Amino acid sequence: MRATITLNDLIETRLAEIAEDVWKRHRVLRVNHGDGRVVQLGTAAIWELWSCRANHGSGLCGEPLLTATQASSLTGMPREDGPVENPALPVIEVELLDSGVGGFLIDDLFHASDVRAEFRKVNG
């Protein structure tokens, strides 16, 4: 009898591989659904999906990391070149599951502090 592998098994395996890789390379943790913090700017709010555990020179970071789509929705300023013009902290490139495309695409993760700074710059 042959073992059956479902599409869900393949997707779950790929998500685990991505999470392991981004931890090893950048010290970024994927946050389980419902376990994250709520990040709010103005009247918009989103759930934290990723968390930074890197040391940027002043100890462990601990900030939520936001996808480009999340950052754009919070700032209200979608841009062709990204939602944060000049981030102070490193932008992390990661492969994410895009339900709209039905596959994995490269996306950027931005620190919440950079998104807040962009929001203040845009909204005065």
Short mmCIF file of all heavy atoms in Angstrom, two decimals, residues 42-93:
data_model
loop_
_atom_site.label_atom_id
_atom_site.label_comp_id
_atom_site.label_asym_id
_atom_site.label_seq_id
_atom_site.Cartn_x
_atom_site.Cartn_y
_atom_site.Cartn_z
N GLY A 42 -4.14 54.04 14.15
CA GLY A 42 -5.34 54.79 13.82
C GLY A 42 -6.56 53.94 14.08
O GLY A 42 -6.72 53.40 15.17
N THR A 43 -7.39 53.75 13.07
CA THR A 43 -8.60 52.95 13.23
C THR A 43 -8.44 51.54 12.68
O THR A 43 -9.38 50.75 12.73
CB THR A 43 -9.79 53.62 12.50
OG1 THR A 43 -9.45 53.75 11.12
CG2 THR A 43 -10.11 54.98 13.10
N ALA A 44 -7.26 51.21 12.15
CA ALA A 44 -7.02 49.88 11.59
C ALA A 44 -6.29 48.99 12.59
O ALA A 44 -5.51 49.47 13.41
CB ALA A 44 -6.19 50.00 10.31
N ALA A 45 -6.56 47.69 12.52
CA ALA A 45 -5.89 46.73 13.39
C ALA A 45 -5.70 45.41 12.64
O ALA A 45 -6.53 45.04 11.80
CB ALA A 45 -6.69 46.50 14.65
N ILE A 46 -4.61 44.71 12.95
CA ILE A 46 -4.33 43.41 12.35
C ILE A 46 -3.75 42.49 13.43
O ILE A 46 -3.31 42.95 14.48
CB ILE A 46 -3.36 43.50 11.15
CG1 ILE A 46 -2.05 44.26 11.52
CG2 ILE A 46 -3.99 44.20 9.98
CD1 ILE A 46 -0.97 43.36 11.92
N TRP A 47 -3.76 41.19 13.17
CA TRP A 47 -3.13 40.22 14.06
C TRP A 47 -1.67 40.04 13.69
O TRP A 47 -1.32 40.02 12.51
CB TRP A 47 -3.80 38.85 13.94
CG TRP A 47 -5.08 38.73 14.70
CD1 TRP A 47 -6.34 38.80 14.18
CD2 TRP A 47 -5.24 38.52 16.10
NE1 TRP A 47 -7.26 38.65 15.18
CE2 TRP A 47 -6.63 38.47 16.36
CE3 TRP A 47 -4.35 38.37 17.16
CZ2 TRP A 47 -7.13 38.27 17.63
CZ3 TRP A 47 -4.85 38.18 18.43
CH2 TRP A 47 -6.23 38.13 18.66
N GLU A 48 -0.84 39.91 14.69
CA GLU A 48 0.58 39.60 14.48
C GLU A 48 0.71 38.18 13.95
O GLU A 48 0.14 37.25 14.51
CB GLU A 48 1.31 39.73 15.82
CG GLU A 48 2.73 39.25 15.80
CD GLU A 48 3.34 39.19 17.19
OE1 GLU A 48 2.61 38.96 18.17
OE2 GLU A 48 4.56 39.36 17.28
N LEU A 49 1.45 38.02 12.86
CA LEU A 49 1.71 36.70 12.28
C LEU A 49 3.16 36.27 12.45
O LEU A 49 3.46 35.09 12.41
CB LEU A 49 1.36 36.71 10.78
CG LEU A 49 -0.08 37.07 10.42
CD1 LEU A 49 -0.24 37.14 8.91
CD2 LEU A 49 -1.03 36.06 11.02
N TRP A 50 4.06 37.24 12.60
CA TRP A 50 5.50 36.98 12.73
C TRP A 50 6.06 37.85 13.85
O TRP A 50 5.59 38.97 14.05
CB TRP A 50 6.23 37.31 11.43
CG TRP A 50 5.78 36.47 10.28
CD1 TRP A 50 4.75 36.74 9.43
CD2 TRP A 50 6.33 35.24 9.86
NE1 TRP A 50 4.63 35.75 8.50
CE2 TRP A 50 5.59 34.80 8.74
CE3 TRP A 50 7.38 34.45 10.32
CZ2 TRP A 50 5.87 33.62 8.07
CZ3 TRP A 50 7.65 33.27 9.65
CH2 TRP A 50 6.91 32.86 8.54
N SER A 51 7.08 37.36 14.53
CA SER A 51 7.69 38.11 15.63
C SER A 51 9.21 38.06 15.49
O SER A 51 9.78 37.00 15.22
CB SER A 51 7.26 37.48 16.96
OG SER A 51 7.84 38.16 18.04
N CYS A 52 9.87 39.20 15.69
CA CYS A 52 11.32 39.29 15.58
C CYS A 52 11.96 38.97 16.92
O CYS A 52 11.61 39.55 17.95
CB CYS A 52 11.72 40.69 15.13
SG CYS A 52 13.51 40.86 14.89
N ARG A 53 12.91 38.06 16.91
CA ARG A 53 13.67 37.69 18.11
C ARG A 53 15.16 37.94 17.90
O ARG A 53 15.99 37.40 18.59
CB ARG A 53 13.43 36.22 18.47
CG ARG A 53 12.01 35.88 18.80
CD ARG A 53 11.63 36.47 20.15
NE ARG A 53 10.35 35.95 20.58
CZ ARG A 53 9.28 36.69 20.77
NH1 ARG A 53 9.33 37.98 20.54
NH2 ARG A 53 8.16 36.16 21.18
N ALA A 54 15.48 38.79 16.93
CA ALA A 54 16.88 39.11 16.64
C ALA A 54 17.40 40.17 17.60
O ALA A 54 16.62 40.88 18.23
CB ALA A 54 17.00 39.61 15.20
N ASN A 55 18.70 40.27 17.68
CA ASN A 55 19.35 41.32 18.46
C ASN A 55 19.88 42.35 17.46
O ASN A 55 20.81 42.07 16.72
CB ASN A 55 20.49 40.75 19.30
CG ASN A 55 21.12 41.79 20.20
OD1 ASN A 55 21.02 42.99 19.96
ND2 ASN A 55 21.78 41.32 21.23
N HIS A 56 19.27 43.52 17.45
CA HIS A 56 19.68 44.59 16.53
C HIS A 56 20.68 45.53 17.19
O HIS A 56 20.87 46.65 16.72
CB HIS A 56 18.47 45.38 16.06
CG HIS A 56 17.42 44.55 15.39
ND1 HIS A 56 17.64 43.88 14.21
CD2 HIS A 56 16.14 44.27 15.76
CE1 HIS A 56 16.54 43.22 13.87
NE2 HIS A 56 15.62 43.44 14.79
N GLY A 57 21.28 45.10 18.29
CA GLY A 57 22.28 45.91 18.97
C GLY A 57 21.88 46.38 20.35
O GLY A 57 22.71 46.86 21.11
N SER A 58 20.61 46.23 20.70
CA SER A 58 20.17 46.69 22.03
C SER A 58 19.37 45.61 22.75
O SER A 58 18.43 45.89 23.47
CB SER A 58 19.32 47.96 21.87
OG SER A 58 18.21 47.68 21.03
N GLY A 59 19.71 44.35 22.50
CA GLY A 59 19.00 43.24 23.12
C GLY A 59 17.98 42.64 22.15
O GLY A 59 17.88 43.06 21.00
N LEU A 60 17.25 41.65 22.64
CA LEU A 60 16.27 40.98 21.79
C LEU A 60 15.16 41.94 21.38
O LEU A 60 14.64 42.69 22.20
CB LEU A 60 15.67 39.77 22.49
CG LEU A 60 16.63 38.61 22.76
CD1 LEU A 60 15.90 37.47 23.45
CD2 LEU A 60 17.28 38.14 21.47
N CYS A 61 14.78 41.88 20.13
CA CYS A 61 13.83 42.82 19.56
C CYS A 61 12.41 42.60 20.10
O CYS A 61 11.86 43.48 20.76
CB CYS A 61 13.84 42.70 18.04
SG CYS A 61 12.70 43.80 17.19
N GLY A 62 11.79 41.49 19.80
CA GLY A 62 10.45 41.20 20.30
C GLY A 62 9.32 41.92 19.58
O GLY A 62 8.16 41.80 19.97
N GLU A 63 9.60 42.68 18.54
CA GLU A 63 8.55 43.42 17.82
C GLU A 63 7.76 42.51 16.90
O GLU A 63 8.30 41.57 16.33
CB GLU A 63 9.17 44.51 16.93
CG GLU A 63 9.53 45.75 17.64
CD GLU A 63 9.81 46.89 16.65
OE1 GLU A 63 8.99 47.10 15.73
OE2 GLU A 63 10.84 47.54 16.81
N PRO A 64 6.47 42.83 16.70
CA PRO A 64 5.73 42.16 15.64
C PRO A 64 6.31 42.54 14.28
O PRO A 64 6.78 43.65 14.10
CB PRO A 64 4.31 42.71 15.77
CG PRO A 64 4.23 43.31 17.12
CD PRO A 64 5.63 43.75 17.46
N LEU A 65 6.30 41.59 13.37
CA LEU A 65 6.70 41.84 11.99
C LEU A 65 5.45 41.77 11.13
O LEU A 65 4.62 40.86 11.29
CB LEU A 65 7.72 40.81 11.51
CG LEU A 65 9.07 40.89 12.20
CD1 LEU A 65 9.88 39.63 11.92
CD2 LEU A 65 9.83 42.12 11.76
N LEU A 66 5.30 42.72 10.23
CA LEU A 66 4.10 42.83 9.42
C LEU A 66 4.43 42.61 7.95
O LEU A 66 5.45 43.11 7.45
CB LEU A 66 3.48 44.22 9.59
CG LEU A 66 3.27 44.67 11.03
CD1 LEU A 66 2.75 46.09 11.07
CD2 LEU A 66 2.33 43.74 11.76
N THR A 67 3.57 41.88 7.26
CA THR A 67 3.76 41.70 5.83
C THR A 67 3.54 43.04 5.13
O THR A 67 2.96 43.97 5.70
CB THR A 67 2.77 40.66 5.26
OG1 THR A 67 1.45 41.18 5.37
CG2 THR A 67 2.90 39.33 5.97
N ALA A 68 3.97 43.12 3.89
CA ALA A 68 3.78 44.35 3.12
C ALA A 68 2.29 44.68 3.00
O ALA A 68 1.89 45.84 3.10
CB ALA A 68 4.41 44.22 1.74
N THR A 69 1.45 43.68 2.83
CA THR A 69 0.01 43.90 2.73
C THR A 69 -0.55 44.44 4.05
O THR A 69 -1.34 45.38 4.06
CB THR A 69 -0.72 42.60 2.34
OG1 THR A 69 -0.19 42.13 1.09
CG2 THR A 69 -2.22 42.81 2.23
N GLN A 70 -0.14 43.84 5.17
CA GLN A 70 -0.58 44.33 6.48
C GLN A 70 -0.12 45.77 6.70
O GLN A 70 -0.89 46.61 7.15
CB GLN A 70 -0.04 43.44 7.59
CG GLN A 70 -0.66 42.08 7.67
CD GLN A 70 0.00 41.24 8.74
OE1 GLN A 70 1.24 41.18 8.83
NE2 GLN A 70 -0.80 40.57 9.55
N ALA A 71 1.15 46.03 6.40
CA ALA A 71 1.70 47.38 6.59
C ALA A 71 0.97 48.40 5.73
O ALA A 71 0.64 49.50 6.19
CB ALA A 71 3.19 47.38 6.28
N SER A 72 0.67 48.03 4.49
CA SER A 72 -0.06 48.94 3.59
C SER A 72 -1.45 49.23 4.11
O SER A 72 -1.93 50.36 4.05
CB SER A 72 -0.14 48.34 2.19
OG SER A 72 1.12 48.32 1.58
N SER A 73 -2.12 48.21 4.63
CA SER A 73 -3.48 48.43 5.13
C SER A 73 -3.47 49.28 6.39
O SER A 73 -4.36 50.11 6.59
CB SER A 73 -4.21 47.10 5.37
OG SER A 73 -3.62 46.39 6.43
N LEU A 74 -2.45 49.14 7.23
CA LEU A 74 -2.37 49.95 8.44
C LEU A 74 -2.01 51.41 8.15
O LEU A 74 -2.54 52.31 8.78
CB LEU A 74 -1.35 49.37 9.42
CG LEU A 74 -1.76 48.11 10.15
CD1 LEU A 74 -0.61 47.59 11.00
CD2 LEU A 74 -2.99 48.33 11.01
N THR A 75 -1.11 51.62 7.20
CA THR A 75 -0.72 53.00 6.89
C THR A 75 -1.71 53.66 5.94
O THR A 75 -1.75 54.89 5.85
CB THR A 75 0.68 53.05 6.24
OG1 THR A 75 0.66 52.31 5.02
CG2 THR A 75 1.76 52.54 7.17
N GLY A 76 -2.48 52.86 5.23
CA GLY A 76 -3.41 53.41 4.25
C GLY A 76 -2.71 53.93 3.02
O GLY A 76 -3.27 54.69 2.24
N MET A 77 -1.44 53.56 2.84
CA MET A 77 -0.64 54.08 1.74
C MET A 77 0.04 52.95 0.96
O MET A 77 1.24 52.74 1.08
CB MET A 77 0.44 55.02 2.28
CG MET A 77 -0.07 56.26 2.93
SD MET A 77 -0.93 57.35 1.80
CE MET A 77 0.40 57.83 0.73
N PRO A 78 -0.72 52.19 0.16
CA PRO A 78 -0.04 51.19 -0.67
C PRO A 78 0.88 51.88 -1.68
O PRO A 78 0.52 52.89 -2.26
CB PRO A 78 -1.18 50.45 -1.37
CG PRO A 78 -2.41 51.20 -1.08
CD PRO A 78 -2.13 52.23 -0.04
N ARG A 79 2.08 51.37 -1.82
CA ARG A 79 3.07 51.95 -2.74
C ARG A 79 3.66 50.87 -3.61
O ARG A 79 3.79 49.72 -3.18
CB ARG A 79 4.20 52.59 -1.94
CG ARG A 79 3.81 53.78 -1.13
CD ARG A 79 5.11 54.46 -0.66
NE ARG A 79 4.78 55.64 0.06
CZ ARG A 79 5.03 55.82 1.35
NH1 ARG A 79 5.61 54.89 2.05
NH2 ARG A 79 4.69 56.94 1.93
N GLU A 80 4.07 51.25 -4.78
CA GLU A 80 4.73 50.29 -5.68
C GLU A 80 6.05 49.81 -5.11
O GLU A 80 6.41 48.66 -5.27
CB GLU A 80 4.96 50.92 -7.05
CG GLU A 80 3.69 51.11 -7.85
CD GLU A 80 3.98 51.74 -9.19
OE1 GLU A 80 5.10 51.62 -9.69
OE2 GLU A 80 3.04 52.33 -9.74
N ASP A 81 6.79 50.70 -4.43
CA ASP A 81 8.11 50.34 -3.91
C ASP A 81 8.06 49.86 -2.47
O ASP A 81 9.09 49.71 -1.83
CB ASP A 81 9.07 51.51 -4.06
CG ASP A 81 8.60 52.76 -3.32
OD1 ASP A 81 7.40 52.85 -3.00
OD2 ASP A 81 9.43 53.65 -3.08
N GLY A 82 6.88 49.60 -1.92
CA GLY A 82 6.75 49.08 -0.56
C GLY A 82 6.06 50.04 0.36
O GLY A 82 6.04 51.25 0.11
N PRO A 83 5.51 49.54 1.45
CA PRO A 83 4.72 50.38 2.35
C PRO A 83 5.54 51.26 3.29
O PRO A 83 5.01 52.19 3.88
CB PRO A 83 3.91 49.36 3.15
CG PRO A 83 4.75 48.13 3.12
CD PRO A 83 5.47 48.14 1.81
N VAL A 84 6.84 50.98 3.43
CA VAL A 84 7.70 51.77 4.31
C VAL A 84 8.86 52.28 3.48
O VAL A 84 9.64 51.49 2.93
CB VAL A 84 8.20 50.94 5.52
CG1 VAL A 84 9.11 51.77 6.40
CG2 VAL A 84 7.03 50.38 6.31
N GLU A 85 8.97 53.60 3.40
CA GLU A 85 9.96 54.21 2.50
C GLU A 85 11.41 53.94 2.91
O GLU A 85 12.21 53.49 2.11
CB GLU A 85 9.70 55.72 2.43
CG GLU A 85 10.22 56.34 1.17
CD GLU A 85 9.67 57.73 0.99
OE1 GLU A 85 8.57 57.85 0.42
OE2 GLU A 85 10.32 58.68 1.46
N ASN A 86 11.77 54.25 4.14
CA ASN A 86 13.15 54.06 4.61
C ASN A 86 13.14 53.39 5.98
O ASN A 86 13.32 54.05 7.00
CB ASN A 86 13.87 55.42 4.72
CG ASN A 86 14.04 56.07 3.38
OD1 ASN A 86 14.56 55.46 2.45
ND2 ASN A 86 13.60 57.31 3.26
N PRO A 87 12.97 52.06 6.01
CA PRO A 87 12.91 51.38 7.30
C PRO A 87 14.23 51.47 8.07
O PRO A 87 15.30 51.38 7.49
CB PRO A 87 12.59 49.93 6.94
CG PRO A 87 12.93 49.79 5.50
CD PRO A 87 12.85 51.15 4.89
N ALA A 88 14.12 51.69 9.39
CA ALA A 88 15.31 51.77 10.25
C ALA A 88 15.86 50.38 10.57
O ALA A 88 17.05 50.21 10.75
CB ALA A 88 14.96 52.50 11.54
N LEU A 89 14.97 49.39 10.63
CA LEU A 89 15.36 48.01 10.93
C LEU A 89 15.30 47.17 9.66
O LEU A 89 14.55 47.49 8.73
CB LEU A 89 14.45 47.43 12.01
CG LEU A 89 14.60 48.11 13.38
CD1 LEU A 89 13.49 47.67 14.32
CD2 LEU A 89 15.96 47.84 13.97
N PRO A 90 16.08 46.09 9.61
CA PRO A 90 16.15 45.31 8.38
C PRO A 90 14.80 44.76 7.95
O PRO A 90 14.02 44.27 8.77
CB PRO A 90 17.10 44.17 8.72
CG PRO A 90 17.59 44.39 10.09
CD PRO A 90 16.89 45.54 10.69
N VAL A 91 14.53 44.84 6.65
CA VAL A 91 13.36 44.21 6.06
C VAL A 91 13.74 42.76 5.78
O VAL A 91 14.83 42.48 5.30
CB VAL A 91 12.96 44.92 4.75
CG1 VAL A 91 11.81 44.20 4.07
CG2 VAL A 91 12.61 46.37 5.02
N ILE A 92 12.85 41.84 6.12
CA ILE A 92 13.15 40.41 5.97
C ILE A 92 12.32 39.85 4.83
O ILE A 92 11.09 39.96 4.83
CB ILE A 92 12.85 39.68 7.29
CG1 ILE A 92 13.76 40.24 8.38
CG2 ILE A 92 13.03 38.18 7.13
CD1 ILE A 92 13.28 40.03 9.76
N GLU A 93 12.99 39.28 3.87
CA GLU A 93 12.32 38.66 2.73
C GLU A 93 11.98 37.22 3.10
O GLU A 93 12.83 36.47 3.58
CB GLU A 93 13.23 38.69 1.51
CG GLU A 93 12.54 38.34 0.23
CD GLU A 93 13.46 38.52 -0.96
OE1 GLU A 93 14.20 37.56 -1.27
OE2 GLU A 93 13.42 39.60 -1.57
#
